[in-house]
Amino acid sequence: MTTKRPISHADTGNDPQDEAIIGALERRDESGLSELSQKYGKLCHHISCNLLGRGNDADAEECVNDTLLAVWQRIPPEHPQSLSAFVCRIIRNVTVDRIRRRTADKRSGELVALTDELGECLSAPEDSSFPEAAALDDALQRFLSTLDIEDRVLLVRRYFHGDSYRELADLSGQREGSVRVRLHRLRERLRDYLQKHYLFC
Amino acid sequence: MKDQKNKDALFDAFGRLSDGVLDEASHYRKSAAKKGRYVRRTAITLLAAALSLVLVTVTVVAAVPALRRYLNLDFVGESNRQETVPEGWVGIYTAEDLDSIRNDLDGKYILMNDLTFSEDAEAFTPIGTKDAPFTGQFDGNGYVIRKLVIDMTIPQTSNILATAGLFGYCEDTARITTEENEFPALWEVMETVYGGLIQNLGIEESTVTVSCPDVDTAVGMIVGKGTFLTACYAKNCTLNVQVSGSENLTFVGTLAGDCLLLDSCYTTDNTLALDYPVTESIHVSKVLGGLCGNAYTVVTSYGENNTIHAPESTAVRVGELGGHVSVIPHLMTEAQFMTVRNNLLAYYEGGANNFYYKQFCSYFLPKTLSAWTNNTYYYNPTFFVGPIDPTVTFFVYDPTSSFKEDLKNEETLISSMPLEDFTALCAADNLKVGIMSSYVIDSGTAYAEESFPEFDFDTIWQMKDGRPTLRIFE
C-alpha cells in the first residue's frame, strides 16, 4: 500500500550547480546563460513542444530563447529558491502566452485538450462565483497535498509540463489506458474538492 | 466564453504551483512507481491464490463455449414468471417498494405484479446517478409499469451528466474506491454480477420530460445511461427532452439513452422529441433512436411506429432502432483484438497520423478475471456460464473513451478493414457486434415467424397479432 507523502521543503532548494549559475547571472557573467541553457534547455524545449504541439520546433526554440532572456533579466534582483522551478514556470508562461496570442484557428490542439480536460474539474463553468487567482492557487496547492506522490506527479506532469499520456505511462510504469483512467478520477476528485471546500457552485 | 476563461484560470493556476511541487514532479523517476506496481501485482497474486484462482494468461481459442456464451451475453432464458421471490432477491409490489430501490443500489429486485401509478402521483425520481449508480439487477418478471411520470428540470449548476428514466444511471462493475490505494479483497466483489441488468420489464403509457442545461445527457424510459437490457418493451410512451445548449452530448432512446447491450427488446407507438438551440457543427452531438440512443450492441429486437422529432442538423443523428450503435464490440477475444490491431498497424505504416493509432490501441485494455490495471474495475468470474476457465484473458473497450473518440476509432477501423469482414470475423467467434438481426416493422403489416429468422421462438418470443411478443409477458 502506498502512503501519502507530504511535500517536504527539504526537496526544494538549488544544487551547487544551480547556485553557481545563479551566481554567474548575478555577476552578469554570460557563462551563466550557457550553463543554464546546457542544464535546462532540453527540459524547456520539452515543455514548450508539449504545449505547442508537433511540428512547432521553431516556435519552441524561440520560446526557449525568450525564456533565457527573461531569466537574464530577472536574476538579479531575484534569487530563486529553486532555479529548476523558476525556469519551468517561465518557459510555460512564455509558451502559453505565445499560443494565446494566436488567432482562434491557430490555437494549439494540445493546449485546448489540456484546458478542456481541466474543464471537467469545474462543476459550474458558467458560474460567476469562480474564485480569484489567489484562492484558486491555495485550493489547488491544498488539494495536491492530499494526494500521494504518484498521483501528484501525474497531475503536475500533465497540466504543468503538458506531458502526453504515453510519456506519463513510461514515467509511471503503467499502461497508457491506466494513466487516462487515473487522471480522469483525479480530475473528478479535484472537482469534488473544489466544490466541497471552496464552494465553487 | 466564461467557460473558457475559467478553464484557462485553472490551467494557469498549475503554472503557479510551489517550488516543492514542481521540483518533485521534475525529478520524479519511474523506479519508485515500478516498485509500487510490483507490490500491487504481488498482492493480486497472493489474494488470487487464496481464492484458488490462477493468474495465467492464455490465448483464447475459438472453441470455448463458455466464453462464447459470455460474449453473447445470453441473459435471456426465462419464459415464465417467477411466482415467488427467489432467495436473495427483494420483491417489488408497490410504487413505494419501487422507490425504495434507491436505498440499496446493489440489491437484486424482482417485480411481482403490474404497477400502475395514479394520476395524482408525484413525479418519480430516477434511481441511480453517476455518483451513486445502480449496480444491482432488476427483473420485471414479465410485469408492466404503467403511467410512470418523470418530470425533471436539472439545475444550471448540475454536474456534467444528466440522466433520466426509471433508472437514471447503471453501472456494470462494483465501484471500488482507491483513495487510500488499498487493494480490496477479491471476495468483496464476487457478488457483483451483471451490474445494472434490467430484464423482462414492460413500460406503457408513461412519460419522461427533461429540461436541462448544456451538459451531457442520457434519457430513456427504462434507463438513462444503462448497461444491459434484455426482454424489455415500451409502448405508447412519450419522451421530451429540452437542452439549453448545443455543445454537449445528448442521447435519447425509447428504452435507453445509452447502454452496452440491448437484446430481445421492442418498442411500439412511442414518441421522442428533442429541442435544443441548433448551431452549425460538424460533430455529432445529438443521438436519438427508436430503441436506444447509443449502444454497443443491439440484437434480435425491433421497433414499430415510433416517431422521433429532432431539429435538422449535421449534429443530429437519428435511427429507427439505434441512433448510433458501435461497430467496435464492448468485449472481444484476444484473437479479434490482435486482428483489429494488426490491421491498424498495417494501415498506419503508410504514414498516417500516429496520434490516432496511439489513441486507438490504448483503448483496448487487457483484463484478467481478477483485476484490471489500476484496481479500479473488477469483473466477476461467474460471468461464465458452464465450465469456468479462470485463466482466460479478454479485452474490453475503454469505458472511459468519449463519444467523439468512439466515432473516430470506428472510422479508423472501417478504413483499414471492410466492415463486413470485421463483422464476419466477430461472427466466426460468435460475438455479437453492432445491430444484428433487428428490424423496423410496419404497423399495417401482419408478419410471420419467417420474417424474424434469428429470433428465438422456442423460449423468448412468440407471434401474436402478426408480430413478435415476449413470452414472459403472456
Side-chain angles (χ1 to χ4, degrees):
Chain A
M1 180 175 107
T2 58
T3 55
K4 294 187 178 116
R5 175 175 172 272
I7 301 163
S8 165
H9 289 292
D11 293 337
T12 66
N14 296 311
D15 62 26
Q17 187 184 8
D18 286 347
E19 281 298 331
I21 292 172
I22 293 172
L25 294 172
E26 286 174 335
R27 293 191 303 272
R28 310 317 282 163
D29 179 354
E30 290 185 9
S31 68
L33 270 184
S34 303
E35 293 281 316
L36 181 74
S37 176
Q38 243 180 341
K39 186 169 182 186
Y40 291 110
K42 198 173 170 186
L43 175 59
C44 289
H45 191 262
H46 176 77
I47 292 173
S48 194
C49 281
N50 280 349
L51 298 174
L52 286 165
R54 285 205 192 100
N56 286 286
D57 278 0
D59 282 349
E61 279 302 319
E62 287 187 21
C63 289
V64 172
N65 288 337
D66 289 346
T67 297
L68 294 175
L69 179 61
V71 171
W72 177 260
Q73 289 172 338
R74 288 171 61 174
I75 300 176
E78 293 183 61
H79 186 113
Q81 292 297 306
S82 167
L83 184 61
S84 167
F86 182 77
V87 171
C88 286
R89 276 196 210 92
I90 294 176
I91 184 67
R92 187 183 189 269
N93 290 337
V94 163
T95 305
V96 171
D97 285 347
R98 175 177 284 247
I99 294 168
R100 286 176 178 163
R101 280 198 301 270
R102 291 174 176 172
T103 55
D105 61 348
K106 290 181 183 172
R107 290 278 167 82
S108 149
E110 276 67 21
L111 185 61
V112 169
L114 291 171
T115 53
D116 278 353
E117 283 177 18
L118 287 176
E120 293 172 22
C121 303
L122 308 173
S123 58
E126 295 298 321
D127 200 283
S128 60
S129 65
F130 200 74
E132 297 296 325
L136 187 55
D137 291 353
D138 178 68
L140 182 59
Q141 193 74 38
R142 285 178 186 273
F143 172 73
L144 289 173
S145 72
T146 68
L147 304 178
D148 66 31
I149 182 172
E150 282 188 25
D151 285 343
R152 190 162 53 237
V153 167
L154 277 180
L155 267 181
V156 174
R157 291 294 292 247
R158 178 69 181 155
Y159 299 111
F160 180 92
H161 293 73
D163 282 355
S164 68
Y165 285 106
R166 175 54 59 90
E167 286 167 328
L168 294 175
D170 289 342
L171 178 70
S172 62
Q174 299 177 61
R175 293 189 183 90
E176 196 174 318
S178 302
V179 172
R180 285 180 185 273
V181 171
R182 201 165 177 178
L183 275 169
H184 175 72
R185 293 217 176 262
L186 286 170
R187 289 194 297 271
E188 286 186 330
R189 286 174 64 183
L190 175 55
R191 182 201 67 222
D192 294 343
Y193 184 88
L194 294 177
Q195 222 172 338
K196 186 177 173 186
H197 294 283
Y198 289 84
L199 304 177
F200 293 172
C201 62
Chain B
M1 292 313 291
K2 192 172 289 183
D3 180 2
Q4 189 59 47
K5 186 181 162 197
N6 290 343
K7 289 181 194 174
D8 287 348
L10 184 52
F11 181 79
D12 290 345
F14 273 87
R16 295 187 294 270
L17 289 172
S18 68
D19 288 355
V21 170
L22 295 183
D23 283 344
E24 180 187 60
S26 293
H27 301 145
Y28 185 80
R29 292 294 175 264
K30 62 184 173 181
S31 56
K34 268 190 177 170
K35 183 179 176 186
R37 184 161 170 252
Y38 172 77
V39 169
R40 281 198 288 276
R41 191 170 289 278
T42 301
I44 294 169
T45 305
L46 286 174
L47 283 169
L51 293 170
S52 302
L53 291 176
V54 177
L55 291 180
V56 173
T57 301
V58 299
T59 301
V60 175
V61 297
V64 178
L67 177 60
R68 280 202 198 120
R69 280 200 287 281
Y70 169 59
L71 291 177
N72 283 341
L73 293 169
D74 279 334
F75 301 103
V76 184
E78 295 295 328
S79 56
N80 297 309
R81 291 191 180 114
Q82 310 251 18
E83 299 299 329
T84 58
V85 178
E87 191 177 338
W89 290 68
V90 174
I92 302 295
Y93 300 88
T94 65
E96 288 73 28
D97 292 341
L98 187 69
D99 193 61
S100 69
I101 290 175
R102 70 186 77 254
N103 299 327
D104 180 8
L105 295 167
D106 292 332
K108 291 189 275 193
Y109 303 93
I110 182 166
L111 192 57
M112 299 306 291
N113 44 249
D114 287 346
L115 279 185
T116 301
F117 283 78
S118 66
E119 298 287 342
D120 55 1
E122 284 186 11
F124 191 82
T125 301
I127 298 167
T129 63
K130 185 171 187 287
D131 291 329
F134 179 68
T135 55
Q137 295 179 50
F138 185 87
D139 186 344
N141 201 20
Y143 289 110
V144 183
I145 294 176
R146 293 186 175 86
K147 300 192 188 302
L148 174 72
V149 173
I150 291 168
D151 191 343
M152 298 171 66
T153 298
I154 293 168
Q156 194 65 27
T157 54
S158 175
N159 212 325
I160 57 174
L161 176 65
T163 54
L166 170 63
F167 291 87
Y169 194 108
C170 298
E171 206 163 78
D172 66 330
T173 55
R175 182 174 292 193
I176 306 297
T177 176
T178 58
E179 280 195 68
E180 295 300 320
N181 279 326
E182 286 184 355
F183 189 88
L186 283 177
W187 55 80
E188 290 176 8
V189 298
M190 287 288 284
E191 289 306 307
T192 303
V193 183
Y194 307 142
L197 168 65
I198 301 170
Q199 55 183 331
N200 306 322
L201 177 66
I203 187 160
E204 295 183 9
E205 301 167 40
S206 299
T207 63
V208 171
T209 306
V210 177
S211 174
C212 59
D214 194 9
V215 295
D216 287 350
T217 309
V219 179
M221 286 310 310
I222 294 182
V223 63
K225 183 169 169 62
T227 56
F228 315 110
L229 272 79
T230 69
C232 294
Y233 80 88
K235 189 171 180 180
N236 293 325
C237 296
T238 304
L239 292 89
N240 274 305
V241 180
Q242 187 174 42
V243 184
S244 65
S246 59
E247 286 189 22
N248 285 286
L249 280 176
T250 303
F251 293 137
V252 183
T254 305
L255 292 172
D258 185 9
C259 66
L260 297 176
L261 168 80
L262 207 126
D263 186 352
S264 304
C265 297
Y266 70 94
T267 55
T268 304
D269 298 324
N270 303 285
T271 303
L272 287 72
L274 170 67
D275 184 32
Y276 78 100
V278 178
T279 58
E280 286 301 314
S281 173
I282 61 170
H283 297 295
V284 174
S285 64
K286 305 289 178 273
V287 181
L288 298 94
L291 288 170
C292 58
N294 182 57
Y296 281 101
T297 310
V298 173
V299 59
T300 53
S301 299
Y302 74 88
E304 176 185 6
N305 197 36
N306 296 302
T307 307
I308 302 176
H309 302 286
E312 291 279 339
S313 169
T314 51
V316 177
R317 186 177 288 192
V318 175
E320 290 183 89
L321 296 177
H324 170 260
V325 182
S326 175
V327 300
I328 299 176
H330 174 57
L331 291 163
M332 62 179 68
T333 65
E334 185 172 2
Q336 278 141 18
F337 167 61
M338 291 307 295
T339 301
V340 169
R341 182 175 174 274
N342 291 341
N343 270 278
L344 285 183
L345 279 174
Y347 176 78
Y348 285 115
E349 271 174 6
N353 189 339
N354 286 335
F355 171 73
Y356 289 125
Y357 156 65
K358 283 181 185 173
Q359 271 204 322
F360 182 76
C361 284
S362 75
Y363 292 152
F364 292 90
L365 305 172
K367 188 182 191 82
T368 68
L369 288 173
S370 62
W372 175 30
T373 57
N374 200 37
N375 306 329
T376 306
Y377 296 95
Y378 295 85
Y379 272 75
N380 191 322
T382 61
F383 274 171
F384 285 76
V385 178
I388 296 173
D389 182 351
T391 65
V392 167
T393 294
F394 56 94
F395 291 80
V396 60
Y397 192 40
D398 185 352
T400 67
S401 66
S402 71
F403 185 63
K404 277 186 197 170
E405 290 165 340
D406 290 351
L407 291 180
K408 174 50 73 175
N409 289 339
E410 288 176 43
E411 282 175 28
T412 309
L413 174 64
I414 293 168
S415 66
S416 69
M417 184 176 189
L419 183 58
E420 51 268 25
D421 290 351
F422 181 67
T423 305
L425 176 75
C426 295
D429 211 14
N430 217 14
L431 174 64
K432 298 171 186 173
V433 60
I435 297 185
M436 298 180 75
S437 308
S438 296
Y439 309 95
V440 178
I441 66 174
D442 177 25
S443 308
T445 304
Y447 296 86
E449 265 188 42
E450 292 70 35
S451 300
F452 309 90
E454 299 87 4
F455 280 35
D456 180 351
F457 286 98
D458 290 329
T459 56
I460 300 174
W461 298 95
Q462 63 183 20
M463 294 303 290
K464 183 178 177 185
D465 300 330
R467 59 249 306 114
T469 59
L470 293 163
R471 282 181 179 271
I472 197 167
F473 289 95
E474 301 303 321

